[in-house]
Amino acid sequence: MWLQAQKVQAYMVPDSAVTEGWLGFSFLARLCRLCLYTHRRMAITAEDVCLDRVLLIQEGFAVEEVPPENNLQIPGSDVTVQVTSGGASLLVRLPFGSHTQTFLREVRRRCSPGKKDATAADPEQSAAGEVTGAPRLKTANKMVPSSSVPASGPTQGLSTRPCGLRDTLVKSLLKQKESSYTHLQNFRFFVGTYNVNGQSPRGSLRPWLSQDGEPPDIYCVGFQELDLSKEAFFFNDTPKEEEWFKAVTESLHPGAKYAKVKLVRLVGILLLLYVRTELAMNISEVEAETVGTGIMGRMGNKGGVAIRFQFHNSTVCVVNAHLAAHPEEYERRNQEVRDICARMQFHPLEPGCPLLAIKEHDVVLWLGDLNYRLEEQDMERVKKLIQTQDFQALHQHDQLKIQREAKLVFEGFQEGEISFQPTYKYNPGSDDWDDSAECRVPAWCDRILWSGKTVSLLSYQSHMALKNSDHKPVSAIFDVGVKVVDKKSYCKAFEGIVRSLDKMENASIPSVTLSKREFLFKDVKYLQLQVESFTISNGPVPCQFEFISKPNEDAYCKPWLIAKPSKGFLMPDSEVVIALELCVNKSTATALNSGEEKLEDILVLHLDRGKDYFLSVSGNYLPSCFGCPIQTLCYMKEPIREMLPEAIRELTLMPLLTDDAFWEEKPLDVPKELWMMVDLLCRSACHQEGLFQQPGLRPEFEQIRDWLDTGTLDVLGPVASNHSVAEALLLFLESLPEPVVCYKSYRSSLECANSYEMSSQVISMLPKCHQNVFHYLVAFLRELLKHTGKNHLDVNVLASIFGGLLLRPPPGHTQPGTAEKQKAQQFIQQFLCHEGGTL
């Protein structure tokens, strides 16, 4: 059987068309092959995906880069390669980044040993000792080492060298001496943001993108609400990406030529990066990432996308965010910014190096529809201040200004003076304020902020000429001081460092001091992060540290624990603070509830060429209904915190029963915790717009969790919003170790997704407690659909959201593709559309 080793997104490039697909690398014994799979846009079923081409890796196999027409290779842009083997050939375009790097590395690893014609991916070094800007695909017997010249002339491409101690030490010492071989040079950055409200482009974007006389050196252009369709929301695919990409490309400043460096999109959040062609070779280390902050902290209707890159010797990160709507949700917006900062981490091109966070860049440019509104302002008063252009007085009531001054969000960032009228909300196609039934108060939703010591704002404005959305686009132009390398000075510094390292005695053994070695986490709760920190203080010898796994263990720590950073490098007499983060989630809660696992672990901190240090971690976990089986909860008449550990263990570990007669005491029809949440939503949220689509607040979820686990009914009512209760319900269903539709029924459920009668038979075969929960939830969702005129929910939305929770693939099953997700949606949808019982 052929084993799939790696796959990467690929675009087949015939003479006049581009077909999207995947390039897979698989092997069987000593045989290797490349398979190209193509699919239609918006692929739903298996019939939409086909195996287009298979190339066996044999004599004459080669992978060669195809240079662009103008012979200008843009680092960070897609790379076109020609694959040939046994007389057959294939032309594909691969996206730049760590995924492509990993794919090419695996091809090299499998095909290089002992094969003269095997290929490898490595940066190419010119005769002058400079690294070229793109990954050059060389034959294995012609591999050359990476250059030590930094990315300031022609830049570095894909590197496959590990972060060794000597390399890390050289980089750290070079960083310390950076001022001796670099000077600041200003480059002009254009940053723009536009919420397009799901509209297609109409006319040129030059009134926004090219209003300045001097052409920018770099464009950072972001969009939100690119596509509001359900297809874009659930399948993250939209034809409007190409429409707006083309519109932007055709509207860049006519005074210069530009090349696209990177495009990244999450549902309707799109970010584009362009650079002047003559500066392209100074761009390197380009990576893109996305973070969804929608419902359950994952859905991509809200969140952020980012592109990071190195320009000459300075690192830049550009973030495009779309945050939660509505005036009262400023705390949620603050939380989403913190979530994006915490979860947005970039994979360095060199394997083994630590992940990079947003804040670890010289310059950060943050743009987007941040959705901060005006605090409790009367519509007429706002319009009067706008009419008199008294923006300073109006800005005093701006939520973002208030939250930043209170240091609750965007700490360390700056924003220019706002001298333009609010950018939201307009009647589309005009400059008139919203006169719909909602009649939104105008607000500066669309903003641009920055952090960095070498950034100077030149202009900050909106653009009233564009009228096809209910927002107006905003732009900012910056002069950014970029560190440019003087090669002679660099070589002098580099040679001095190498000489000093050569003199260092090899026998030097590193040693460190730990400020703490025992860590106790008290009263840990479900999904509530606890952090304990300690300091590693280094001695006189440079050292590289890393937490390593213990014998017969795959990871360095238990799955509920993580160390940040888990590896790193310390210069002599320096120190670093390590944060041990403990969080119990759906994958670890069940075993901790039952007592099968405990919060106990030993961490091993290893020093390269040095000794190991042992750290003890312990704690106590407060049992929670989150992570408990449905059957267990049905037999729990008391809140779980009031039960003895032995009773919880017995109920959790008992086998799943098909007959309730096994126990003398009759169980509850549905878990009381489920009833509490559904009952509250039925009483107060049937008319709530955005239910199950807008996230709740984290502190409110914690109150709901405690309310369910302790039975303190009076705590939740006046505190939690409908959105927080709805999200708690989804998290509860997600945490079930056995889903409502049991794992063993997963495959049969998908097979009968088009037959209500057969699907009903599947449900009838479930254990009684699972049947009850399924019918109870279906009745609840039907009740919500009776009020669709006010809550704007529809059967497709609810079926998609609950399909992935009630019907989950068993452990070990491959990640569900679009076809499986669609069938799960259809399975739930037929029950919602069929007349049935009530709550």
Side-chain angles (χ1 to χ4, degrees):
M1 180 178 178
W2 287 89
L3 300 177
Q4 183 80 19
Q6 292 286 341
K7 69 174 183 177
V8 68
Q9 188 177 12
Y11 300 87
M12 188 174 177
V13 189
D15 292 336
S16 59
V18 176
T19 304
E20 184 175 356
W22 293 92
L23 187 65
F25 174 66
S26 55
F27 61 92
L28 174 64
R30 291 190 174 185
L31 296 176
C32 299
R33 68 181 183 182
L34 289 172
C35 301
L36 180 70
Y37 299 88
T38 59
H39 62 78
R40 299 188 318 199
R41 176 173 286 279
M42 298 300 298
I44 298 298
T45 66
E47 287 72 24
D48 294 328
V49 182
C50 66
L51 178 61
D52 185 275
R53 196 82 59 86
V54 176
L55 284 181
L56 283 174
I57 297 179
Q58 51 187 304
E59 193 71 27
F61 175 78
V63 180
E64 298 178 345
E65 181 187 348
V66 178
E69 294 180 2
N70 58 4
N71 205 32
L72 176 65
Q73 182 66 53
I74 310 299
S77 63
D78 296 344
V79 179
T80 302
V81 295
Q82 182 83 39
V83 184
T84 56
S85 182
S89 67
L90 179 67
L91 188 65
V92 292
R93 193 175 76 233
L94 305 179
F96 184 89
S98 57
H99 296 295
T100 293
Q101 178 199 24
T102 303
F103 176 83
L104 294 174
R105 188 185 304 121
E106 180 68 12
V107 173
R108 180 191 63 188
R109 187 178 72 85
R110 289 280 175 183
C111 304
S112 291
K115 297 185 180 182
K116 294 182 179 180
D117 58 341
T119 62
D122 233 277
E124 183 180 12
Q125 189 174 23
S126 69
E130 298 172 355
V131 181
T132 59
R136 299 288 179 177
L137 305 177
K138 302 287 291 181
T139 58
N141 59 348
K142 293 183 180 179
M143 288 175 56
V144 293
S146 301
S147 168
S148 57
V149 176
S152 296
T155 58
Q156 186 175 348
L158 291 179
S159 171
T160 57
R161 299 175 65 198
C163 276
L165 176 61
R166 186 179 177 88
D167 286 346
T168 306
L169 182 55
V170 169
K171 289 179 181 178
S172 298
L173 293 173
L174 281 171
K175 188 69 176 176
Q176 290 183 2
K177 295 178 176 291
E178 192 174 41
S179 60
S180 69
Y181 59 83
T182 63
H183 64 276
L184 289 181
Q185 181 177 333
N186 280 340
F187 292 89
R188 181 159 293 201
F189 281 57
F190 175 98
V191 181
T193 179
Y194 192 10
N195 182 318
V196 297
N197 192 33
Q199 303 300 306
S200 295
R202 293 198 295 268
S204 174
L205 301 179
R206 282 193 175 174
W208 169 39
L209 300 177
S210 305
Q211 90 289 350
D212 196 52
E214 183 177 342
D217 297 307
I218 288 180
Y219 272 99
C220 312
V221 184
F223 295 94
Q224 306 84 39
E225 294 191 356
L226 200 73
D227 192 334
L228 298 177
S229 68
K230 295 181 180 64
E231 290 78 14
F233 178 75
F234 291 115
F235 304 114
N236 195 24
D237 199 358
T238 171
K240 292 191 176 181
E241 175 185 303
E242 185 65 28
E243 294 176 10
W244 283 101
F245 167 61
K246 182 179 179 182
V248 170
T249 303
E250 293 175 348
S251 300
L252 300 178
H253 202 291
K257 292 184 178 181
Y258 294 89
K260 185 200 82 173
V261 176
K262 198 72 173 176
L263 177 154
V264 60
R265 182 178 60 81
L266 174 67
V267 187
I269 310 171
L270 173 69
L271 180 61
L272 291 161
L273 178 66
Y274 296 84
V275 63
R276 290 177 68 151
T277 54
E278 63 268 29
L279 300 174
M281 299 309 292
N282 300 309
I283 298 281
S284 67
E285 299 183 19
V286 182
E287 280 294 322
E289 292 293 341
T290 66
V291 168
T293 61
I295 190 74
M296 300 173 71
R298 292 197 307 273
M299 298 298 281
N301 57 321
K302 293 294 188 290
V305 301
I307 299 172
R308 64 90 53 199
F309 59 97
Q310 184 161 311
F311 186 36
H312 285 281
N313 227 50
S314 292
T315 56
V316 181
C317 182
V318 186
V319 184
N320 177 17
H322 189 194
L323 307 182
H326 306 301
E328 68 277 8
E329 302 293 353
Y330 61 88
E331 290 182 353
R332 180 178 288 109
R333 291 187 275 276
N334 293 351
Q335 182 60 55
E336 289 178 347
V337 172
R338 290 191 289 269
D339 286 345
I340 291 171
C341 289
R343 293 167 51 198
M344 187 78 75
Q345 294 187 314
F346 301 94
H347 295 268
L349 294 180
E350 293 187 357
C353 295
L355 299 176
L356 292 171
I358 292 174
K359 65 180 181 181
E360 295 176 297
H361 291 80
D362 297 321
V363 174
V364 179
L365 304 171
W366 195 303
L367 59 109
D369 178 2
L370 306 186
N371 252 324
Y372 287 92
R373 309 300 175 90
L374 296 176
E375 284 284 2
E376 301 178 1
Q377 292 301 296
D378 175 71
M379 170 71 85
E380 294 306 316
R381 181 177 182 274
V382 170
K383 288 183 177 179
K384 184 177 180 180
L385 289 173
I386 295 172
Q387 189 174 7
T388 59
Q389 296 191 0
D390 193 353
F391 300 131
Q392 186 174 1
L394 191 61
H395 192 223
Q396 300 306 310
H397 304 280
D398 175 68
Q399 288 179 341
L400 181 55
K401 174 182 171 63
I402 295 170
Q403 297 299 303
R404 284 185 58 229
E405 289 178 347
K407 299 187 182 303
L408 296 175
V409 72
F410 284 117
E411 193 168 1
F413 281 80
Q414 302 180 61
E415 185 182 18
E417 179 182 350
I418 293 181
S419 58
F420 50 89
Q421 68 183 50
T423 56
Y424 174 86
K425 178 179 184 181
Y426 295 87
N427 291 327
S430 74
D431 293 334
D432 300 328
W433 297 112
D434 176 34
D435 59 9
S436 67
E438 296 172 334
C439 199
R440 303 287 192 195
V441 176
W444 287 289
C445 290
D446 310 278
R447 312 289 275 269
I448 297 171
L449 300 93
W450 78 91
S451 69
K453 299 178 181 178
T454 63
V455 182
S456 299
L457 179 67
L458 301 180
S459 70
Y460 188 28
Q461 59 185 307
S462 65
H463 301 269
M464 301 296 291
L466 276 66
K467 306 179 188 295
N468 57 332
S469 173
D470 55 356
H471 290 248
K472 297 297 182 183
V474 172
S475 71
I477 296 178
F478 299 98
D479 263 347
V480 178
V482 173
K483 293 175 285 190
V484 177
V485 171
D486 177 81
K487 291 184 181 179
K488 290 184 178 179
S489 300
Y490 168 82
C491 290
K492 182 179 179 181
F494 179 79
E495 290 169 0
I497 290 171
V498 171
R499 282 195 300 269
S500 66
L501 289 179
D502 290 340
K503 293 178 181 179
M504 187 180 295
E505 292 186 6
N506 294 329
S508 298
I509 298 176
S511 64
V512 299
T513 302
L514 307 185
S515 64
K516 190 177 181 181
R517 297 198 191 191
E518 295 184 356
F519 304 89
L520 176 63
F521 293 86
K522 296 181 179 179
D523 296 337
V524 176
K525 299 179 181 179
Y526 184 78
L527 284 187
Q528 186 164 323
L529 178 69
Q530 286 197 27
V531 182
E532 292 283 338
S533 299
F534 70 99
T535 302
I536 304 176
S537 300
N538 192 25
V541 179
C543 78
Q544 192 155 302
F545 67 88
E546 180 178 6
F547 287 98
I548 60 173
S549 58
K550 299 179 285 295
N552 302 320
E553 294 188 9
D554 295 330
Y556 70 84
C557 65
K558 296 289 181 67
W560 35 261
L561 186 67
I562 188 171
K564 291 185 177 179
S566 62
K567 62 180 71 173
F569 173 79
L570 283 170
M571 295 293 290
D573 302 317
S574 64
E575 60 184 31
V576 63
V577 176
I578 306 294
L580 298 181
E581 297 184 353
L582 191 156
C583 185
V584 176
N585 57 25
K586 60 181 181 180
S587 64
T588 54
T590 304
L592 289 168
N593 277 334
S594 67
E596 293 176 283
E597 292 286 343
K598 296 190 180 297
L599 295 180
E600 296 176 353
D601 201 4
I602 299 293
L603 301 184
V604 181
L605 179 65
H606 173 72
L607 301 187
D608 188 26
R609 299 182 301 113
K611 67 176 185 178
D612 294 339
Y613 297 80
F614 298 90
L615 290 75
S616 171
V617 177
S618 61
N620 69 295
Y621 179 65
L622 300 180
S624 174
C625 63
F626 289 84
C628 277
I630 291 175
Q631 179 177 259
T632 301
L633 293 173
C634 286
Y635 278 97
M636 284 186 183
K637 303 296 179 65
E638 302 172 354
I640 191 170
R641 295 267 190 89
E642 295 182 9
M643 298 190 65
L644 295 174
E646 296 77 11
I648 298 173
R649 179 182 177 85
E650 182 181 7
L651 289 174
T652 302
L653 297 181
M654 72 177 182
L656 191 57
L657 306 174
T658 56
D659 187 359
D660 294 337
F662 183 84
W663 286 71
E664 294 182 2
E665 188 175 3
K666 186 180 185 302
L668 301 170
D669 290 333
V670 298
K672 59 187 177 303
E673 296 83 1
L674 175 64
W675 176 85
M676 289 176 182
M677 290 184 284
V678 171
D679 178 68
L680 186 61
L681 290 172
C682 281
R683 287 188 284 107
S684 62
C686 283
H687 296 169
Q688 180 70 60
E689 186 177 353
L691 200 66
F692 297 117
Q693 297 167 82
Q694 181 172 320
L697 290 173
R698 187 166 301 168
E700 292 185 355
F701 165 74
E702 293 173 357
Q703 290 173 328
I704 296 167
R705 177 205 57 217
D706 292 344
W707 169 59
L708 297 174
D709 290 341
T710 61
T712 51
L713 287 163
D714 56 333
V715 173
L716 179 64
V719 177
S721 70
N722 292 330
H723 295 298
S724 296
V725 179
E727 185 170 20
L729 173 60
L730 297 182
L731 290 169
F732 174 83
L733 295 173
E734 183 189 45
S735 73
L736 294 172
E738 183 83 28
V740 177
V741 179
C742 298
Y743 286 133
K744 67 179 182 180
S745 301
Y746 177 75
R747 181 54 56 189
S748 57
S749 299
L750 298 184
E751 291 172 352
C752 63
N754 293 320
S755 169
Y756 176 75
E757 289 74 17
M758 294 179 65
S759 298
S760 297
Q761 291 181 16
V762 171
I763 298 302
S764 69
M765 299 297 291
L766 297 176
K768 187 64 176 177
C769 56
H770 284 249
Q771 287 185 48
N772 292 342
V773 169
F774 182 85
H775 291 306
Y776 184 67
L777 288 171
V778 166
F780 165 57
L781 298 180
R782 285 196 194 119
E783 184 66 26
L784 291 179
L785 290 172
K786 293 178 182 178
H787 305 277
T788 186
K790 293 187 177 180
N791 60 33
H792 299 154
L793 290 170
D794 66 42
V795 68
N796 292 318
V797 170
L798 290 179
S800 295
I801 294 171
F802 281 84
L805 293 172
L806 305 185
L807 198 62
R808 303 200 309 261
H813 189 281
T814 56
Q815 189 71 18
T818 303
E820 281 192 28
K821 291 179 181 178
Q822 184 76 2
K823 286 184 178 180
Q825 175 186 348
Q826 292 171 353
F827 182 86
I828 301 300
Q829 185 170 332
Q830 57 189 342
F831 287 94
L832 299 184
C833 295
H834 195 274
E835 294 296 328
T838 59
L839 286 171

